[in-house]
Amino acid sequence: MSKIGLFFILLVSGCCLSCMEKKQGGMVENAFSVAERQLAAQLKAVPEPVAFPRTIRNGELYTTKMNDWTEGFYPGCLWYIYENNKDESWKQSALQWTEALEPLKRLTNHHDIGFLMYCSFGNAYRLTGNEAYKNVLIESARSLCTRFNEKTGCIESWNYRKAWNGKDEWFFPVIIDNMMNLELLYFATRVTGDSLFAKVANKHAETTARNHFRDDYSSYHVVNYDEETGEVLHRATCQGFSDNSTWARGQAWAIYGYTMAYRETKKTDFLNMAVHIADFWLNHPRLPEDGIPYWDFDAGQRGYVPDWNYDPQRFTIIPRDASAAAIAASAFLELSEYVTEGKKYVEAAEHILQSLSSSDYLAEPGTNCNFILRHSVGSIPHGVEIDVPLVYADYYYLEALTRYKNKRYSIGSSRKI
């Protein structure tokens, strides 16, 4: 090949890459522009941090009052907006909504203190360095550790409840979501030097790896233990289609959780788990072309029988779950950093973000009760939050966009620009 021909190929390749980079930069810029407009309007609708936006119910904004598991996501969203635009007014709003949650640092009646405090105070400490926020997180980690049981090797997720069949009693239920709360514990060990927090986190992750997954690395939602012997009594679902199905958001929690656990520990067993769980997702024959999963990979499929009152006539079109997709996209971007075949995870994340940033999922400003994304699912078995926006979908979408922007991946490649 002549030098002129080689120069022409390199010039064209460079122009194509530049166009692709501009396209991706435009996607991120537009998404954050929409997010700013939506959240600015939402702040006007709920000007004081006493009612925290969660979703839409009966066509209206639905909020919670520090009695749920989702309150930390809203200030977390504000922090990601501030991180993107560096506007002090957004920082002040984020501080106001974060500091309102401080009383929850002593919460011990469920496992979600990690979501509540790390998504809010964790981002606050990361972006401000305020030592007071670090201390809140340490106390929160101590509270989470009170739910750890040596016999089971796990942090108890919920208190007593019954399964959907009305017979099985869950005295020590552990849900796959609980993997997400371990980041709070790893943080506490990192900043205090006290290894106890990380030991609890590692034990929980190891036990969950052993008991929460099938041979194909699909996940159970709930594993119920005998708290006296540590024996597994039941493997079931609470928010998925059936006990033997794969609830999409649960699978996303697992990808994210084990990727994070590897980051914090460099334990190869955790990385291998993350890869296997992620590959189950990517290789699933029922993953839609746009990369946004159905709320359960096995919903309505033969061989999967729900215990809850499922009406197939109501779900002739199976709902998608943008929240699961956003969580997975964020996890894929991080996972790509730790493996030699990172390209496929970057491409998967890019594909998801492109879909979520399209008019199919990204809300028109002024609509959607000022949430960012449409088409998420909370819990179909409970009959709530079906095909609606969810604050945690918005949070992980903004986190994924932030990770994508900060790493500056080129489209279709794990090469950084």
Side-chain angles (χ1 to χ4, degrees), residues 63 88 138 167 188 210 240 258:
T63 60
E88 283 296 310
I138 294 167
K167 297 179 295 184
R210 187 167 59 250
Y258 280 100

Side-chain angles (χ1 to χ4, degrees), residues 357-372:
S357 302
S358 73
S359 59
D360 290 336
Y361 296 93
L362 189 65
E364 282 287 328
T367 69
N368 207 38
C369 284
N370 299 304
F371 289 99
I372 303 165

Side-chain angles (χ1 to χ4, degrees), residues 186 202 259-271 334 338:
Y186 288 125
N202 287 339
T259 301
M260 172 274 300
Y262 172 73
R263 178 223 304 154
E264 297 293 337
T265 66
K266 296 301 182 284
K267 289 178 177 288
T268 56
D269 286 350
F270 293 163
L271 180 60
E334 180 171 13
Y338 307 140

Side-chain angles (χ1 to χ4, degrees), residues 191-375:
V191 298
T192 65
D194 187 343
S195 63
L196 173 64
F197 302 107
K199 286 179 179 177
V200 168
N202 287 339
K203 186 65 174 178
H204 182 96
E206 291 161 0
T207 305
T208 298
R210 187 167 59 250
N211 295 328
H212 248 92
F213 296 89
R214 307 177 184 95
D215 290 342
D216 62 0
Y217 292 94
S218 61
S219 58
Y220 291 96
H221 182 195
V222 185
V223 174
N224 178 45
Y225 292 88
D226 184 317
E227 58 189 328
E228 299 298 328
T229 67
E231 177 188 0
V232 172
L233 299 178
H234 310 102
R235 291 182 173 91
T237 196
C238 187
Q239 290 167 257
F241 184 73
S242 66
D243 290 347
N244 61 329
S245 71
T246 304
W247 176 48
R249 190 162 70 249
Q251 195 75 8
W253 292 140
I255 300 166
Y256 192 115
Y258 280 100
T259 301
M260 172 274 300
Y262 172 73
R263 178 223 304 154
E264 297 293 337
T265 66
K266 296 301 182 284
K267 289 178 177 288
T268 56
D269 286 350
F270 293 163
L271 180 60
N272 291 336
M273 282 297 297
V275 167
H276 286 309
I277 300 163
D279 287 352
F280 172 88
W281 176 294
L282 294 180
N283 297 328
H284 202 286
R286 287 189 293 278
L287 180 65
E289 287 188 8
D290 67 359
I292 313 303
Y294 301 110
W295 70 279
D296 190 298
F297 281 98
D298 306 303
Q301 298 297 308
R302 182 176 298 178
Y304 300 90
V305 181
D307 287 328
W308 53 282
N309 187 24
Y310 171 64
D311 179 6
Q313 298 302 314
R314 187 182 176 191
F315 298 109
T316 54
I317 298 176
I318 301 173
R320 303 291 191 90
D321 188 3
S323 75
I327 297 159
S330 188
F332 288 149
L333 287 173
E334 180 171 13
L335 181 57
S336 74
E337 296 290 298
Y338 307 140
V339 295
T340 56
E341 296 182 355
K343 178 179 178 180
K344 69 178 180 181
Y345 300 118
V346 173
E347 290 176 339
E350 286 175 334
H351 185 50
I352 290 170
L353 289 176
Q354 287 168 344
S355 295
L356 292 178
S357 302
S358 73
S359 59
D360 290 336
Y361 296 93
L362 189 65
E364 282 287 328
T367 69
N368 207 38
C369 284
N370 299 304
F371 289 99
I372 303 165
L373 292 179
R374 303 184 297 134
H375 305 312

Side-chain angles (χ1 to χ4, degrees), residues 129-178:
N130 187 329
E131 291 292 300
Y133 300 150
K134 180 181 74 174
N135 294 333
V136 169
L137 291 166
I138 294 167
E139 186 164 356
S140 300
R142 291 195 185 100
S143 297
L144 180 57
C145 285
T146 65
R147 298 187 66 82
F148 179 73
N149 179 291
E150 290 282 355
K151 291 290 181 64
T152 64
C154 283
I155 298 165
E156 184 181 23
S157 299
W158 298 324
N159 297 332
Y160 169 86
R161 65 172 65 192
K162 282 190 176 183
W164 282 113
N165 62 22
K167 297 179 295 184
D168 295 334
E169 294 183 289
W170 297 346
F171 288 96
F172 197 98
V174 177
I175 61 176
I176 193 64
D177 319 37
N178 213 336

